[in-house]
């Protein structure tokens, strides 16, 4: 029996430029921390090897700092690491792997095996024959796993393929024509397990063929990121036992709420979050609200923005719909009322080029009116 | 609002004044200057608007001028149907009391109620100013001298607005409206300047700049990344090529090819050198052979030269002998020809002499004849000349000419005419003596009887026997007789002068002279015929002929030919002479030819002679040379040497041919080129390899340096950064647009609202204004509510540029209109004008009266004036101070 930890798509060095610098630093650091958790897990579960199916680094040019921290995090596992160059860190003439080798040598990490050549690697005293399909370019037109079919391995050795790319006809988005891998490669090449990377969610996509996904999510997903696979294979030809283990810290979620004259749904949706401080929310709001509710919503969102790790709001489809009460609150009569009525007419006229501006202007005057009223009360 | 009465005591200059029973319409208060009109108005203001407890400057001026120290004002007025009595005392024992049917207030409560009734607010300022607002009501009162300043609302504008809001409802939004406008302006001010331009620190602008900065930076980074990728590709390519070189062993192959080529070239060089040695040996042998050959050729040439020279000499000698003989013959010929020519010349000379002598003889004969002829002619001419001299002398002796004869004839004629006349006139006497009486004429002549005698002058006749009878012709006869005498005298004088006795004689003499002249002419013609040139010339010619003849004779004499020799004829002589000349000429030409022949021959002979000399010398020299050469080496020796040299050269040639064949086989040039090519190829390969290694090293170095620069991360980060930034820009753009829209919408609505309530004021003003200034309207400023301009027949005139009269009229009607509007809105409104129309002319004052009467139908109007007569005719209640 052999026990492997299959992971992929660490993408160390991903910058998270869309976030505030403070947050992006945390997100970045967490990717390295996830490697540390994987090492501990592998050590804990006495894995024979850790297979990283490509995209260890986010780019072929990452700062030494990231490489060094990764190497440090890997020290938690004493067994071998098999690192496969993927499309983000392809084994070019000079690549992050050149850098990795140099820095690993410097600190004396000996357990890392860089599978940057399509050659059989024999590990675990000959019990495990690794068939890696490294990418030497970002995009390969040909199937780089083809050579698996004819690769001769010792009969006692368990044949495990390691590749990075899209399994033909299996993934929901068949957009990427690059780095395509035959869907029946495991079968054709008589593999006991084919460890894949590139798809960020965990999915057993074909017989003996698994995408482990990224261990720490890096975007708002529709799949299931944040896991590793622990695979046990008893002998060549035996069916692998695959265990999905969560290792992620951050919870990235998409939420869509429709608010029609009522904002209670927001509280309901957010208050159930188990760990708001480690949660990133992409919130899509739609519907329409009177100005008073809209103002209240803004206040509520502002509070949640503070509590959550990150809150991103998409409210293009949430419309202000000022009603008479709103307008009366601003002014019952006089020229202000005239102006407000005019703005409302503009905002309701779909053909008016200033429609959006008028709606926003209404909200603004509403807010200002409240502010003035508040000041007057004080 | 209706002021019913006013009582003032101890108030500034007024000690006591009481005006009661004001009418609800128009009231005139008349007072002289210093009578206290303005003080009255001040007191009224104080009663309504001044807190009775007030101190300081504002109330100090209420201090009475004389006695007393408690200014007191009491007013009765009706408002909204309620009659009020108000009384206030200032400075000392201040008090305030307001009472109405069913109610009364005192103290500060009075002030609050007044503010409520009259809708004004007491100022909170510690120090009160004159123009501090006292409500719309107060604005209707025009102080002295202020009417020309327009409505002159000043700081009261906002308050007026606020006050007016009462009747235009909430239209102006009040305090909240102003607050919102300010807030909207502030929102807009985040993005835009006052002039609507983008503000320099507008968040939108800042965000856009940030976006642009990132984009620029991203472009640079992407470019750098592309370069990096290219470098990586290049490195892979270079490494592959290096490997290809190594795999193919290109370098060592090139090296061994070079070594082979060099060996081949060395061998070829050897062959070439051998060939060169043989070739130079051949060249040497050939030189020897050529020298021998040359020497033999020279010897033969010398021998041939000797022979040739000898032949030439022989020819020259023969030529010389020939020329010499010919020359001698020619000389003999010439001698002969010369003799012949001399003989013929002599013959010619003699023939010529004979011919000459003959010619001279003829000449002498002709000249002698000529001389004789001339001599004769001269003699004849001389005789004729002598004759002519005589005849001329005879002619001149006659001394008459045609003219003289004519004159004589004329005198004769005249005498005859006189005689005839006298004869006619003179008495004729005829004596017929009886018997033999004798009558003797004075002349003593006896007169024949019966003879009629004409008596032309007193004539005494002696009559014998009788005595003397004197007859004297009388009258005419006497003068005629005188005339006749004169004519006779004249004739006689003429005849005497010309030596003629009578006219007939004169005529005969003239005829004679004519004959002589004719003969003279004939003689002259004869001489001219004989000697056309004249006598002297003829004589000279004769001398010349004589001299010529002498010469000819001398010439003839010179010729040694006796004239007695028989002379042949002219023709014969001439023929002989011609023949002799021809002969002589022919002889001369023959002689000449002979001489030329000699000249030619002499040259030939000389030439031949010198050639002979030269050839002789040449032959001798060559002969000596040949002998000397033969003595040194005989010709046979030379010939043998040539034979030997030729044989040696043949042998050397064969050697060269052999080496040349060998050389051609190895081709040294091709071998050399091969070496060069190989060397160049090796050099290039080495260079290429070096370049590849260098480039690889350099690329590796560069890429190592760039390995950790995180460029990919930077690009990804910036790309991600742009997403929220563009959302932010979108949001800010919307906010900027919204703020502008909000501000503009509010401003527009506010302006329209103002228009709305300015409308009624304008409408009210219109009819009043038409009374004063037809076809005109006023233009009120929406913001300040001030009168901006008067528009007359479409022409705008700024208010401050109008005349003082026009300004006060416009201001008063505007104020009246305002009062109407306020009154309609339920405000207290009463208009008080203090000397407000002092600048107005009479005509317009008249019209102003109508305006005031009109206004007073609805309003209470109180006019304070110092000019009673201006308002006397108004028929309004009049109060005097």
């Amino acid at each position: 029996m052999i026990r492997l930890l299959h992971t992929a798509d660490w993408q160390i060095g991903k910058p998270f430029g869309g976030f505030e610098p403070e947050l992006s630093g945390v997100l970045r650091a967490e990717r390295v921390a996830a490697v540390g958790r994987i090492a501990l897990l592998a050590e804990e579960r006495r894995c024979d090897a850790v297979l990283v199916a490509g995209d260890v680094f986010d780019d072929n040019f990452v700062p030494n700092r990231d490489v060094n921290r990764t190497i440090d995090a890997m020290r938690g596992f004493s067994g071998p690491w098999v690192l496969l160059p993927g499309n983000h860190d392809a084994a070019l003439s000079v690549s992050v792997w050149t850098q990795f080798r140099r820095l690993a040598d410097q600190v004396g990490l000996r357990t890392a095996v860089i599978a940057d050549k399509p050659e059989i690697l024999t590990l675990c005293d000959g019990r495990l024959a690794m068939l890696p399909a490294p990418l030497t370019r970002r995009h390969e037109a040909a199937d780089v796993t083809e050579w698996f079919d004819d690769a001769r391995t010792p009969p006692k050795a368990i044949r495990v393929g390691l590749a990075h790319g899209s399994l033909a006809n299996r993934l929901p988005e068949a957009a990427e024509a690059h780095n395509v891998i035959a869907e029946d490669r495991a079968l054709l090449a008589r593999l006991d397990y084919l460890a894949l990377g590139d798809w960020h969610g965990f999915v057993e996509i074909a017989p003996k063929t698994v995408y482990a996904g990224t261990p720490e999510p890096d975007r708002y997903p529709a799949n299931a990121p944040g896991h590793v696979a622990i695979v046990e294979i008893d002998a060549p030809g035996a069916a692998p036992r695959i265990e999905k283990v969560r290792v992620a810290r951050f919870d990235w979620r998409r939420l869509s709420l429709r608010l029609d004259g009522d904002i209670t749904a927001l509280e309901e949706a957010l208050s159930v979050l188990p760990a708001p401080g480690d949660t990133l929310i992409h919130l899509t709001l739609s519907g329409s609200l009177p100005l008073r509710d809209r103002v209240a919503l803004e206040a509520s969102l502002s509070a949640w923005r503070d509590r959550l790790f990150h809150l991103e709001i998409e409210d293009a489809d949430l419309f202000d719909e000022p009603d008479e009460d709103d307008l009366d609150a601003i002014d019952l009569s006089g020229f202000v009322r005239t102006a407000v009525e005019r703005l409302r007419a503009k905002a309701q006229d779909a053909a008016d080029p200033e429609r959006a501006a008028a709606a926003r202007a209404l909200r603004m005057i509403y807010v200002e009116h409240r502010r003035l009223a508040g000041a007057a009360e004080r | 609002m209706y002021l019913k009465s006013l009582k003032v005591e101890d108030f500034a200059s007024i000690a006591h004044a009481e005006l009661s029973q004001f009418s609800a319409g128009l009231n005139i208060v008349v007072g002289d200057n210093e009578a206290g009109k303005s003080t009255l108005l001040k007191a009224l203001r104080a009663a309504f608007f001044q807190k009775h407890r007030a101190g300081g400057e504002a109330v100090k001026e209420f201090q009475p001028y004389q006695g007393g120290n408690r200014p007191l004002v009491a007013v009765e007025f009706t408002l909204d149907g309620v009659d009020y009595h108000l009384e206030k005392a200032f400075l000392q024992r201040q008090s305030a009391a307001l009472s109405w049917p069913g109610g009364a207030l005192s103290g500060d409560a009075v002030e609050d109620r007044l503010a409520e009734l009259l809708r004004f607010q007491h100022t909170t300022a510690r120090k009160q100013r004159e123009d501090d607002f006292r409500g719309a009501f107060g604005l209707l009162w025009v102080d002295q001298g202020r009417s020309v300043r327009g409505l002159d609302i000043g700081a009261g504008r906002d308050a007026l607005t606020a006050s007016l809001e009462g009747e235009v409802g909430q239209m102006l939004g009040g305090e909240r409206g102003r607050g919102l406008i300010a807030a909207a302006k502030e929102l807009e001010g985040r993005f835009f300047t006052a002039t609507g331009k983008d503000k320099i620190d507008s968040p939108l602008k800042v965000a856009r700049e940030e976006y642009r900065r990132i984009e620029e930076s991203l472009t640079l980074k992407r470019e750098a990344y592309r370069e990096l990728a290219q470098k990586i590709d290049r490195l892979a390519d270079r490494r592959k090529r290096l490997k290809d070189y190594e795999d193919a062993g290109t370098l060592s192959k090139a090296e061994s090819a070079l070594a082979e080529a060099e060996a081949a070239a060395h061998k070829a060089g050897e062959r070439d050198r051998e060939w060169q040695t043989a070739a130079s040996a051949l060249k040497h042998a050939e030189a020897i052979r050529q020298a021998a050959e040359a020497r033999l050729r020279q010897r033969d040439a010398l021998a041939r030269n000797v022979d040739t020279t000898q032949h030439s000499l022989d020819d020259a000698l023969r030529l010389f002998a020939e020329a010499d003989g010919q020359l001698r013959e020619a000389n003999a010929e010439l001698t002969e020809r010369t003799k012949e020519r001399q003989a013929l010349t002599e013959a010619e000379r003699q023939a010529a002499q004979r011919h000459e002598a003959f010619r001279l003889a003829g000449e002498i004969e002709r000249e002698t004849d000529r001389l004789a002829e001339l001599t004769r002619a001269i003699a004849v001419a001389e005789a004729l000349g002598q004759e002519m001299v005589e005849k001329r002398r005879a002619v001149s002796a006659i001394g008459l000419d045609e003219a003289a004869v004519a004159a004589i004839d004329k005198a004769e004629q005249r005498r005859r005419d006189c005689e005839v006349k006298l004869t006619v006139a003179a008495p004729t006497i005829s004596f017929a003596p009886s018997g033999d009486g004798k009558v003797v004429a004075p002349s003593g002549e006896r007169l024949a009887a019966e003879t009629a005698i004409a008596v032309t002058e007193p004539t005494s006749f002696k009559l014998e026997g009788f005595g003397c009878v004197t007859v004297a012709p009388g009258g005419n006869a006497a003068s005629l007789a005188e005339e006749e005498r004169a004519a006779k005298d004249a004739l006689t004088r003429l005849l005497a002068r010309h030596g003629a006795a009578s006219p007939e004689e004169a005529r005969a003499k003239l005829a004679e002279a004519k004959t002589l002249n004719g003969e003279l002419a004939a003689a002259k013609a004869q001489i001219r015929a004989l000697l056309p040139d004249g006598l002297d010339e003829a004589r000279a010619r004769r001398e010349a002929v004589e001299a010529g003849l002498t010469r000819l004779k001398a010439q003839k004499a010179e010729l040694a030919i006796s004239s007695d020799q028989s002379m042949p004829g002219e023709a014969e002589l001439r023929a002989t002479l011609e023949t002799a000349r021809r002969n002589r000429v022919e002889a001369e030409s023959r002689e000449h030819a002979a001489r030329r022949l000699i000249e030619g021959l002499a040259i030939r002979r000389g030439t031949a002679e010198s050639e002979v000399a030269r050839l002789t010398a040449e032959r001798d020299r060559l002969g000596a040379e040949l002998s000397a050469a033969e003595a040194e080496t005989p010709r046979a020796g030379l010939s043998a040497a040539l034979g030997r040299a030729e044989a040696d050269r043949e042998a050397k040639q064969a050697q060269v041919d052999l080496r040349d064949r060998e050389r051609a086989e190895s081709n040294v040039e091709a071998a050399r080129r091969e070496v060069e090519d190989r060397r160049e190829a090796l050099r290039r390969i080495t260079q290429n390899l070096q370049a590849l290694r260098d480039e690889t090293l350099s690329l590796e170095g560069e890429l190592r340096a760039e390995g950790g620069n995180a460029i990919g991360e930077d690009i990804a980060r910036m790309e991600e950064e742009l997403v929220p930034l563009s959302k932010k820009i979108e949001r800010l753009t919307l906010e900027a647009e919204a703020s502008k829209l909000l501000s503009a919408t509010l401003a527009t609505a506010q302006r329209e609202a103002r228009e709305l309530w300015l409308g009624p004021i304008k409408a009210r003003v219109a009819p009043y204004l038409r009374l004063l200034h037809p076809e005109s309207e006023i233009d009120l400023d929406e913001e300040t509510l001030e009168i901006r301009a008067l528009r007359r027949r479409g022409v705008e005139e700024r208010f401050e540029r109008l005349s003082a009269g026009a300004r006060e009229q416009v201001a008063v009607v505007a104020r009246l209109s305002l009062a109407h509007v306020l009154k309609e809105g339920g405000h207290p409104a009463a208009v008080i004008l203090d000397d407000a129309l002092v600048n107005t002319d009479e005509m317009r004052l008249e019209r102003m009266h109508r305006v005031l009467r009109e206004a007073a139908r609805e309003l209470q109007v109180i006019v304070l004036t110092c000019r009673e007569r201006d308002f006397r005719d108004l028929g309004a209640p009049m109060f005097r101070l």
Side-chain angles (χ1 to χ4, degrees), chain B residues 514-553:
Chain B
K514 275 185 184 167
T515 307
L516 283 172
N517 278 335
E519 283 168 2
L520 272 171
K524 208 173 180 180
Q526 211 172 343
I527 289 169
R528 201 176 295 131
L530 278 173
L531 302 169
D533 299 335
L535 191 58
D536 291 344
E537 184 66 25
R539 281 180 190 133
R541 210 156 65 222
R542 188 179 62 190
E543 279 168 22
V545 169
E546 274 171 354
L549 200 53
T550 311
R551 190 168 37 81
L552 285 171
K553 280 174 183 164

Side-chain angles (χ1 to χ4, degrees), chain B residues 762-818:
Chain B
K762 281 186 175 177
R764 277 286 181 176
V765 167
Y768 293 149
L769 207 54
R770 268 200 294 279
L771 282 174
L772 293 163
H773 300 278
E775 290 182 57
S776 62
E777 53 183 297
I778 59 166
D779 197 357
L780 290 170
D781 191 295
E782 297 159 2
E783 282 286 333
T784 62
L785 305 180
E786 285 300 337
I787 301 168
R788 194 157 51 196
L790 186 66
R791 205 182 291 274
R792 281 196 268 209
R793 294 183 188 89
V795 180
E796 188 181 280
E797 294 169 72
R798 304 256 307 273
F799 180 78
E800 63 271 22
R801 301 182 69 170
L802 293 171
S803 70
R807 282 208 301 269
E808 66 186 14
Q809 293 147 26
V810 170
V812 166
V813 298
R815 190 91 49 166
L816 289 170
S817 307
L818 197 58

Side-chain angles (χ1 to χ4, degrees), chain A residues 91-282:
Chain A
L92 309 176
S93 55
V94 170
S95 68
V96 67
W97 299 111
T98 321
Q99 201 177 345
F100 186 91
R101 274 202 182 88
R102 187 163 49 81
L103 297 174
D105 275 356
Q106 271 176 23
V107 300
L109 179 79
R110 309 262 175 258
T111 52
V113 180
I114 297 165
D116 58 355
K117 289 192 179 64
E119 291 165 358
I120 298 165
L121 293 168
T122 311
L123 298 169
C124 309
D125 310 320
R127 289 183 296 136
L128 174 63
M130 288 294 312
L131 280 68
L135 290 177
T136 50
R137 296 185 267 184
R138 273 186 169 275
H139 305 301
E140 289 286 354
D143 182 349
V144 291
T145 61
E146 230 171 62
W147 74 278
F148 293 179
D149 296 4
D150 301 326
R152 300 176 70 87
T153 54
K156 295 267 176 79
I158 291 169
R159 273 167 80 94
V160 173
L162 184 60
H164 186 89
S166 312
L167 200 70
N169 310 320
R170 296 287 176 135
L171 289 171
E173 324 158 3
E176 285 279 331
H178 298 295
N179 311 329
V180 174
I181 298 162
E183 58 183 317
D184 50 357
R185 181 61 65 208
L187 190 67
L188 292 173
R190 303 169 309 284
L191 299 176
D192 293 308
Y193 185 77
L194 176 54
L196 293 178
D198 198 27
W199 180 251
H200 281 208
F202 184 100
V203 56
E204 189 174 347
I205 198 160
K208 301 184 179 181
T209 305
V210 174
Y211 278 108
T214 183
E216 184 63 45
D218 58 348
R219 63 188 89 158
Y220 298 103
N223 47 32
H227 301 87
V228 295
I230 290 180
V231 186
E232 288 177 353
I233 305 166
D234 290 335
R241 287 189 297 278
I242 299 158
E243 186 189 348
K244 178 179 171 187
V245 180
R246 180 170 170 87
V247 290
R249 170 186 163 193
F250 285 111
D251 190 2
W252 296 57
R253 292 192 190 195
R254 279 182 188 279
L255 273 180
S256 287
L257 294 176
R258 186 169 177 88
L259 306 172
D260 278 313
D262 181 12
I263 61 167
T264 48
L266 179 75
E267 285 302 320
E268 282 166 13
L270 294 180
S271 57
V272 299
L273 291 173
D278 282 346
T279 306
L280 295 87
I281 298 287
H282 182 276

Side-chain angles (χ1 to χ4, degrees), chain A residues 17 28 93 333-335 342, chain B residues 170-172 232 713 720 752:
Chain A
R28 244 179 112 126
S93 55
S333 60
F335 78 90
R342 278 179 194 170
Chain B
Q170 279 269 316
M171 194 54 77
L172 295 181
I232 289 169
E713 180 195 321
E720 287 165 359
E752 286 170 3

Side-chain angles (χ1 to χ4, degrees), chain B residues 144-399:
Chain B
Q144 194 170 19
R146 290 186 69 166
S147 60
V148 292
R149 283 153 67 179
L151 281 179
D152 195 25
I153 293 165
R157 173 169 56 84
D158 283 351
L160 174 62
T161 305
S163 170
L164 286 171
E165 274 157 12
E167 68 269 15
V168 291
Q170 279 269 316
M171 194 54 77
L172 295 181
E175 189 61 39
R176 190 159 36 180
R178 282 189 286 278
L180 281 175
I181 282 221
K185 280 253 175 275
E186 201 177 309
L187 285 173
E188 193 186 8
R190 281 177 74 206
F191 300 101
F192 304 104
T193 64
T195 51
K197 298 222 173 72
D198 282 347
K199 228 173 143 180
I200 205 145
D201 59 347
S202 147
L204 178 57
K205 201 170 173 185
V206 170
R208 277 186 181 142
E209 267 162 24
E210 170 76 359
Y211 192 90
R212 194 182 46 75
R213 193 182 55 70
I214 292 175
E215 249 184 350
E216 273 173 16
S217 170
L218 190 56
T219 308
L220 291 177
K221 289 276 183 189
R222 277 180 180 146
E223 184 58 34
Y225 194 88
R226 219 169 4 256
E227 276 174 24
L228 205 55
Q230 281 168 0
K231 273 185 195 166
I232 289 169
D233 288 350
R234 206 154 63 230
L235 178 59
D237 175 71
R238 299 304 182 265
R239 279 180 179 163
K240 184 175 173 302
R241 283 213 230 171
L242 265 176
K243 191 158 177 303
D244 287 352
Y245 269 98
E246 278 162 23
D247 290 353
T250 315
L251 186 62
S252 59
K253 271 185 201 160
E255 279 168 348
S256 59
L258 175 61
E260 270 171 40
E262 277 173 344
H266 184 70
K267 197 171 169 195
E270 284 292 308
R271 292 274 167 82
D272 194 51
R273 273 192 293 285
E274 281 168 8
W275 169 79
Q276 275 170 357
T277 312
S280 69
L282 173 61
K283 250 184 233 162
H284 185 62
E286 174 65 16
I288 290 169
R289 188 197 67 78
Q290 279 174 356
E293 198 181 41
R295 276 163 71 196
L296 185 58
R297 215 164 34 237
Q298 273 172 7
R299 178 63 56 79
D300 286 352
L302 183 58
R304 265 199 312 282
N305 232 348
V306 172
D307 284 354
T308 313
T309 311
Q310 186 57 52
H311 284 306
S312 301
L313 180 57
D314 292 349
D315 286 350
L317 281 169
R318 199 172 55 249
L319 276 174
F320 175 72
E322 212 175 271
D324 194 48
Q326 279 170 351
L327 184 60
R328 258 192 289 277
E329 277 171 31
N331 275 331
E333 171 83 8
L334 177 61
T335 311
E336 207 168 312
R337 289 302 160 216
T338 305
K339 271 188 206 141
E340 183 192 37
R341 193 260 305 155
Q342 283 167 346
L344 285 170
T345 304
E346 181 54 28
E348 188 197 354
R349 192 188 62 78
Q350 284 176 4
Q353 271 184 354
R354 267 199 301 280
H355 180 261
E356 180 66 8
F358 177 80
R359 190 190 59 87
L360 282 170
E363 191 85 347
I364 289 163
E365 196 179 342
R366 273 195 306 277
E367 285 298 296
T368 311
D369 288 353
R370 216 176 128 206
L371 183 64
E373 179 60 25
L374 257 176
T375 308
R376 190 190 57 81
I378 288 166
V380 174
E382 277 170 348
L384 281 168
Q386 193 58 45
E387 204 176 322
M388 278 171 74
V389 167
E390 279 163 17
K391 281 186 181 152
R392 266 193 205 104
R393 204 175 285 145
V395 169
S396 53
I398 291 167

